Amino acid sequence: MKLRTALMGAAAVLAFAPAAFAERGADGHVNVLYWQAPSILNPYLSSGTKDVETASLVLEGMAGFNEKGEVIARLAESIPTVENGGITADLTQITWKLKPGLLWSDGTPVTSADAKFTYEYCTHPEGGCAQAARYEGISSIETPDDLTVVITFAAPKPNPYTAFVGGTSPILQAAQFANCLGAAASTCTDQNFKPIGTGPFMVTDFKVNDVVELAANPNYRDAAKPAFATMTVKGGGDAGAAARAVLETGEFDYAWNTQINPEQQAQMSAAGKGVLLNGFGTLVERIEMNMTDPSPDLAEGERSTTKHPHPFLSDLRVRKALSMAIDRQILVDIGYGSAGRPTCNLVPAPEMFASDNTDCLAQDMEGAKALLEEAGWTDSDGDGVRDKDGAKLRVVYQTSTNPVRQDFQAVIKDWWTELGVEVELKNIDASVFFGGDAGSPDTFQKFYADVEMYANNFDGTDPEPYLAQYKCDKIPGPENQWQGENINRFCDPAYDALVDELSKTADMAKRGEIAKKLNDMLTKDSYTVVALVDRGRLSAASNTLGGVVLNTWDTELWNAQDWFRVK
Amino acid sequence: MTDTNIGIAPPESFRAAVWSQFRKHKGAMFGLIVLALLVVFVVIGPLVWQPEKLKVAEALKSKNLGPSLRFPMGTDQLGRDQLARMMAAGKVSLAVGFIAMMIAIFLGTFVGVLAGYFKRLDGILMRLTDMFLALPLIPLLLVMVMLFRDKIARVLGPEMGAFILIVFAIGVTSWMHAARIVRGEVLALKEREYVLASRAIGASPRRVILRHILPNVVSPVMVAATLGVAEAIITESVLSFLGLGFPPDFPTWGRLLYEGLEYMQLYPERVIFPGLAISLTVLSVNYIGDGLRDALDPRIRGR
């Protein structure tokens, strides 16, 4: 409630604002806190969110995403679509037009050659480009004139807004980075620490892993923006300290990623110096069901592989019963407060791809028990644990070490015990669990447990690559060094066929429909993925900072040019 | 009384002499009482204090409560009774401490006596001791937990498996100091007249060690043992604090401390109680060790 009133207040201020800040640099200084400190300001050499987001103050692409996940123009004049002829009908070519008269912060003009150079920079065979995925599938980039960039794809690309779109693929200045191609990329310290850009700010001083000092870009395309003359992006501390610095002490105006528990959220907000902003993206905390047998009695190399189906989790009724026994709202209250909401979907957003599946939201313990009875699992010896044909219903439930996840484990264990399922809990250090080391038995890919819990999301706004992870050929196993993404070992030919259809469909409405169907096949039709909580992003903004809109589809600093001081 | 008429009274037994000296050490007596209370708390406590098992939704209504009559130590973020958890946790922590200490002392004495008594083994065994001293404990424990947890858990069940593994891991990595102390003591003892006499009449090394050497190294071993308990409890707390070792639903004092850390500012009692329990145990055990050393040392005892 408090959060909502505060947000409404901010919105009201925003509505009356334009008259108040019509001059660049009129509002002085703004302090931003990224508790994971930025270490480089070239997003092509780092996939760290802190680096990409800080760099987005300086570097921009043709377009970006707004808070609704829609593509908005930045350097481009408009967004190319099939309707306006910017994208060819066969989906193999997209044509971007730069706004005329754009200048870099050093006063030189921005041209299409810079875009082409950026593509060459990131796809150079000797350079390790962290954002290479954004340029995947491009066969060539042509520059017929100074303002036009034509990207040709090797195959039809239903979602062509990858290259030069969003904070992860900005355009670099060719003149500045000319000597930094390939292997030389990481040796260009000056360029990587102080890139010349088109964004609202430019770097004046950069101390690695500590602080970035910025000043308003004198050549920014909107003469009235940004309202702040200077900005400091400071690093260090942890999420709790960052939240405190904005909400309780007021030392900073904005703090990124302040994930704190609901108790602390309430306590710190009460200080009245700032508000917590939350935005929901695609991050979903879920329980994954293992469709294969993880029994330690099996030989190494056969354990948790498709050779042995799971003795009881391969029965839909058991999986469904386990899901029905969970009260998701309680989980949200325990772990995330306003930064979470219950969900049943693997793809919770954007809206056009999110299924209306709400089956699982209400807990139904009796229904779950009945379902297990129906499946033949009864407590025949009266010890509180169901059994069938001499085998007990017993699951090993693993996750990474993290206070919230251990609370979830404890609560879910209580529910499952009530259901008549014996639960063994296991927690594994996060660096091992997510480490992907093929030699360790404890990685989430190896999945040497019956169920496991973690969170995952997808990059950008298009869920196709994410849904394609559940195809049969993506199952991890010894033959691919356990590197597959189909963690559940889910395999359904009908699903594979539908994913293939999705990759050939360009019509957005149709894509949404297929994506929803795929989501339902994994969730409410099969309970292979039991979604629990849709986790939002939580950042903190001071009450004196106006214009902040939390965006989960692009960088959080996406609209720093619109920020202003509330007077 | 004893020291005023020391010349007339019948010579008191060794045990009585030690006890009377021990009682004079105020810190040691305080330690002994506190430790006894803690043991009573974790062993008898759960029999007396049995909170009803609530369903999740009901328990959550009483989450994060401060100490009250119904919950003397308050409740945690899931509405679980902290007092009951403290008792269950203490049982594990104390058991880990004492059993790991016993393993360490057994190994240390064994290696120390062999190295001190048999000259040929001395070099090898002491280099082995040096090697163990040089091993970094925490990484070693992490590797052991990763490699053996599943295998042991399969035989003994997850909780007992973790218990044995941790106790064993702490035991085999903390015997070195005891070994060094015992070796030094044995080196001195074996040149004493009564040992020489025993050897002269043809007693086997086994008999000499068991009959003459071991009873005389008891005092330094006892002191090393008490200090070892404290160290083992702290090591277990460190492991639990790192989220390793025991399964998450198996509380130990270290884990309670870890869980309470996040809520420290709002509910300080969540870290104070387990922290206090660990500190009190370590402190009292150290004082007992100190008192024992004084009591077992004949030069101090006489005064």
Side-chain angles (χ1 to χ4, degrees):
Chain A
M1 194 59 214
K2 229 172 242 160
L3 182 71
R4 187 175 303 161
T5 5
L7 281 176
M8 298 244 273
V13 170
L14 198 63
F16 296 113
F21 66 104
E23 199 184 337
R24 174 177 295 159
D27 282 352
H29 188 77
V30 61
N31 283 311
V32 176
L33 185 59
Y34 266 64
W35 54 269
Q36 291 175 15
S39 51
I40 193 165
L41 291 180
N42 180 351
Y44 292 110
L45 298 182
S46 167
S47 50
T49 311
K50 57 192 173 102
D51 300 325
V52 172
E53 300 207 347
T54 317
S56 74
L57 291 166
V58 177
L59 298 167
E60 293 177 301
M62 290 285 186
F65 298 99
N66 68 7
E67 74 278 11
K68 295 183 196 104
E70 295 156 353
V71 184
I72 51 159
R74 282 184 185 275
L75 297 183
E77 204 161 33
S78 62
I79 301 300
T81 58
V82 179
E83 287 76 45
N84 68 17
I87 301 173
T88 55
D90 63 354
L91 308 176
T92 58
Q93 209 172 61
I94 180 168
T95 306
W96 293 94
K97 285 232 183 257
L98 283 165
K99 286 187 179 123
L102 285 173
L103 294 178
W104 292 102
S105 58
D106 65 354
T108 55
V110 179
T111 66
S112 55
D114 292 312
K116 188 172 161 72
F117 171 81
T118 304
Y119 164 69
E120 282 159 7
Y121 176 86
C122 187
T123 52
H124 196 284
E126 281 163 38
C129 180
Q131 313 295 350
R134 310 285 310 178
Y135 297 94
E136 225 163 65
I138 296 179
S139 64
S140 72
I141 293 192
E142 304 299 328
T143 51
D145 62 57
D146 270 1
L147 296 180
T148 314
V149 180
V150 182
I151 305 175
T152 311
F153 297 100
K157 190 114 172 161
N159 174 31
Y161 305 118
T162 54
F164 311 128
V165 181
T168 50
S169 66
I171 294 176
L172 300 175
Q173 192 193 38
Q176 192 192 15
F177 282 85
N179 297 322
C180 302
L181 283 170
S186 55
T187 61
C188 287
T189 318
D190 270 2
Q191 286 85 338
N192 293 335
F193 287 177
K194 288 184 185 175
I196 295 171
T198 54
F201 291 94
M202 55 184 204
V203 188
T204 53
D205 188 25
F206 180 33
K207 291 195 184 70
V208 179
N209 288 332
D210 182 18
V211 66
V212 190
E213 299 285 355
L214 304 113
N217 173 2
N219 295 313
Y220 188 63
R221 56 184 174 276
D222 184 337
K225 291 175 181 176
F228 288 106
T230 50
M231 178 188 267
T232 302
V233 180
K234 178 94 179 102
D238 57 29
R244 194 161 288 134
V246 173
L247 301 176
E248 278 190 352
T249 68
E251 292 163 272
F252 283 85
D253 296 302
Y254 187 84
W256 160 85
N257 193 12
T258 50
Q259 279 292 357
I260 48 177
N261 65 48
E263 305 281 325
Q264 287 173 318
Q265 286 174 22
Q267 182 222 0
M268 290 190 193
S269 304
K273 286 221 160 93
V275 288
L276 285 165
L277 308 170
N278 58 338
F280 289 94
T282 57
L283 188 64
V284 172
E285 185 86 23
R286 77 289 287 280
I287 288 181
E288 305 268 16
M289 300 275 175
N290 194 344
M291 309 297 271
T292 59
D293 192 356
S295 163
D297 301 332
L298 295 171
E300 194 59 41
E302 297 203 359
R303 206 176 159 191
S304 279
T305 63
T306 41
K307 286 191 186 126
H308 304 277
H310 198 282
F312 53 84
L313 284 182
S314 41
D315 184 342
L316 169 65
R317 289 170 295 191
V318 177
R319 298 197 300 267
K320 188 170 178 188
L322 290 178
S323 169
M324 284 162 78
I326 297 172
D327 186 336
R328 288 159 173 81
Q329 186 57 49
I330 286 184
L331 293 180
V332 170
D333 294 343
I334 293 172
Y336 298 101
S338 65
R341 54 187 180 197
T343 187
C344 303
N345 284 329
L346 178 64
V347 178
E351 227 176 284
M352 59 180 302
F353 294 112
S355 163
D356 56 354
N357 164 25
T358 52
D359 286 14
C360 72
L361 291 186
Q363 183 188 29
D364 181 7
M365 189 59 83
E366 292 317 307
K369 283 181 182 164
L371 207 56
L372 283 182
E373 296 281 341
E374 184 198 317
W377 291 94
T378 48
D379 185 9
S380 60
D381 52 5
D383 65 349
V385 181
R386 292 172 188 272
D387 50 81
K388 181 179 172 180
D389 309 330
K392 293 218 175 275
L393 193 52
R394 184 172 180 285
V395 296
V396 176
Y397 173 12
Q398 72 179 16
T399 188
S400 69
T401 304
N402 162 324
V404 173
R405 295 214 164 110
Q406 263 70 76
D407 285 353
F408 276 25
Q409 276 187 316
V411 169
I412 291 174
K413 180 181 174 165
D414 271 6
W415 285 322
W416 285 354
T417 308
E418 193 188 335
L419 187 61
V421 181
E422 195 183 340
V423 186
E424 180 193 326
L425 300 183
K426 204 169 144 185
N427 60 327
I428 300 157
D429 188 67
S431 57
V432 175
F433 191 58
F434 299 113
D437 174 12
S440 165
D442 286 334
T443 62
F444 78 107
Q445 290 105 331
K446 274 213 174 157
F447 206 166
Y448 283 178
D450 301 289
V451 296
E452 65 183 1
M453 178 172 73
Y454 59 87
N456 201 358
N457 63 342
F458 58 91
D459 189 35
T461 53
D462 188 80
E464 186 195 321
Y466 188 55
L467 288 164
Q469 290 178 355
Y470 292 89
K471 286 173 77 170
C472 299
D473 59 358
K474 300 256 171 71
I475 293 178
E479 57 291 340
N480 55 16
Q481 302 307 311
W482 305 91
Q483 293 308 321
E485 292 142 331
N486 186 349
I487 303 300
N488 315 70
R489 288 88 163 128
F490 170 83
C491 187
D492 182 352
Y495 184 87
D496 284 17
L498 209 55
V499 171
D500 291 339
E501 195 187 326
L502 180 63
S503 69
K504 290 184 201 112
T505 311
D507 177 47
M508 276 314 207
K510 192 90 207 316
R511 283 177 77 76
E513 217 171 276
I514 298 177
K516 284 178 192 170
K517 211 183 279 172
L518 288 170
N519 171 73
D520 290 350
M521 283 171 91
L522 291 169
T523 54
K524 75 172 171 189
D525 299 344
S526 75
Y527 290 94
T528 311
V529 177
V530 174
L532 301 174
V533 180
D534 179 7
R535 283 173 54 186
R537 222 188 274 186
L538 196 65
S539 292
S542 160
N543 286 337
T544 62
L545 183 67
V548 178
V549 178
L550 189 63
N551 183 344
T552 55
W553 306 105
D554 203 341
T555 92
E556 280 188 25
L557 305 174
W558 70 294
N559 72 338
Q561 67 273 13
D562 301 331
W563 289 6
F564 61 93
R565 181 68 64 195
V566 177
K567 293 190 178 96
Chain B
M1 288 306 281
T2 43
D3 42 4
T4 49
N5 47 10
I6 195 156
I8 321 154
E12 54 179 357
S13 75
F14 174 73
R15 209 174 287 176
V18 168
W19 175 237
S20 77
Q21 174 67 32
F22 185 83
R23 261 188 322 192
K24 281 189 205 141
H25 195 300
K26 279 200 189 109
M29 282 312 286
F30 159 80
L32 195 65
I33 292 167
V34 169
L35 189 66
L37 287 178
L38 280 169
V39 171
V40 167
F41 172 70
V42 303
V43 176
I44 316 280
L47 304 176
V48 182
W49 183 259
Q50 287 169 326
E52 51 174 332
K53 178 84 183 99
L54 294 171
K55 284 191 175 176
V56 177
E58 295 160 25
L60 278 175
K61 282 181 203 140
S62 54
K63 68 176 176 180
N64 292 325
L65 292 180
S68 64
L69 270 182
R70 187 170 168 220
F71 304 108
M73 289 191 182
T75 55
D76 69 2
Q77 72 279 11
L78 300 180
R80 292 174 292 196
D81 180 31
Q82 278 294 84
L83 180 59
R85 277 166 72 75
M86 279 291 290
M87 290 170 180
K91 212 188 262 182
V92 181
S93 288
L94 287 180
V96 165
F98 284 103
I99 298 175
M101 173 270 284
M102 275 186 235
I103 297 177
I105 290 306
F106 175 79
L107 278 175
T109 315
F110 185 73
V111 172
V113 166
L114 287 187
Y117 195 82
F118 300 103
K119 207 161 184 190
R120 256 176 302 162
L121 293 176
D122 193 16
I124 309 171
L125 285 177
M126 286 336 279
R127 293 301 80 71
L128 181 80
T129 311
D130 290 344
M131 195 195 83
F132 266 91
L133 272 175
L135 280 178
L137 178 61
I138 297 289
L140 185 76
L141 287 174
L142 300 189
V143 173
M144 282 176 85
V145 169
M146 198 195 87
L147 285 181
F148 304 119
R149 181 175 54 193
D150 283 355
K151 295 186 178 87
I152 298 179
R154 211 180 313 161
V155 183
L156 297 166
E159 276 140 40
M160 201 56 201
F163 183 79
I164 298 283
L165 185 68
I166 286 171
V167 158
F168 181 76
I170 296 176
V172 296
T173 49
S174 50
W175 53 269
M176 294 79 69
H177 291 287
R180 283 189 161 179
I181 295 168
V182 170
R183 171 182 171 267
E185 203 71 15
V186 171
L187 279 178
L189 279 173
K190 76 172 182 184
E191 302 301 330
R192 299 284 271 276
E193 291 79 359
Y194 59 91
V195 177
L196 288 176
S198 176
R199 281 162 71 182
I201 59 170
S204 66
R206 198 177 129 225
R207 187 173 164 78
V208 175
I209 288 172
L210 290 180
R211 189 92 186 95
H212 300 294
I213 306 245
L214 269 188
N216 283 297
V217 295
V218 164
S219 57
V221 166
M222 289 287 271
V223 176
T226 50
L227 300 181
V229 173
E231 209 166 304
I233 288 177
I234 290 184
T235 311
E236 190 282 318
S237 303
V238 169
L239 279 182
S240 294
F241 191 85
L242 292 174
L244 289 151
F246 290 102
D249 50 338
F250 201 57
T252 69
W253 283 339
R255 183 179 289 281
L256 291 186
L257 197 59
Y258 170 66
E259 285 177 1
L261 188 67
E262 219 187 317
Y263 298 88
M264 189 162 69
Q265 210 194 2
L266 289 168
Y267 314 106
E269 70 272 12
R270 297 270 289 283
V271 290
I272 289 176
F273 286 127
L276 202 63
I278 296 175
S279 312
L280 275 181
T281 313
V282 172
L283 195 68
S284 60
V285 166
N286 272 326
Y287 266 123
I288 294 173
D290 199 32
L292 267 183
R293 193 193 56 219
D294 289 0
L296 289 168
D297 188 334
R299 277 159 296 184
I300 296 179
R301 191 161 67 235
R303 282 196 307 227

